[in-house]
Amino acid sequence: HNTVIVEGQDQMQRAGRFLWLDWAQAQVLPAVLPDAVAAQHNGYARLGVHHRRTLQRLDPDRWVVLDELLPAAFSPASRRAAVNWLLPDCPWEMDGATLVFHLNDARLELTITPQPRAATGSARPVDVSLVRAGQVLYGNEADPRTLGWVSPLYTQRLPALNFRVTFEGTPPFTLQTQLYFRHYFTP
């Protein structure tokens, strides 16, 4: 769905169709940024990282999501992390590193970039992909069959867009998603 995937693994261990083991433990954190909320979970502790997400509203049309991969009990080596967004099936275009959606009365620009951290880890992008209904529309995706679908009801599957940017780096590092809505004005 809309989260970070570390080393291609889930946060919990799948034990059946609807059964998950080793449930990740999450906590809401005090926000250090204005107009923000933050939380973190330990679902990737076995891989040496914790995932912290901060959502910040910059203004009514601009939002920022910061995904931090932080060292857990041991200091991990380089890790691959993919920021994954499941989005509506609507007209789109790529504008450099920005995915642009054309909605009925607005344009949504979504950009995912690494953020430098002073004197600590950093990440570099290694892949960008967009998948719709199991078909790669942009970039490279090794196994797209299960991507680009939304299921509003059990046994129902509808096309959606799956936007994924994969990064590699040594934690701690931060990945930033910017969402910018530009409203169309009609006379």
Side-chain angles (χ1 to χ4, degrees), residues 89-93 100-108 184:
D89 186 19
C90 59
W92 63 274
E93 65 184 272
V100 178
F101 287 97
H102 300 284
L103 307 171
N104 290 337
D105 60 349
R107 167 186 165 118
L108 168 62
Y184 300 131

Side-chain angles (χ1 to χ4, degrees), residues 12-51:
M12 298 178 281
Q13 178 184 350
R14 187 175 180 153
R17 191 169 186 172
F18 298 107
L19 179 62
W20 295 87
L21 302 176
D22 301 327
W23 283 25
Q25 300 300 304
Q27 60 185 8
V28 175
L29 303 171
V32 295
L33 300 170
D35 293 327
V37 62
Q40 114 176 4
H41 72 84
N42 67 353
Y44 295 120
R46 69 190 183 284
L47 300 175
V49 294
H50 289 294
H51 173 213

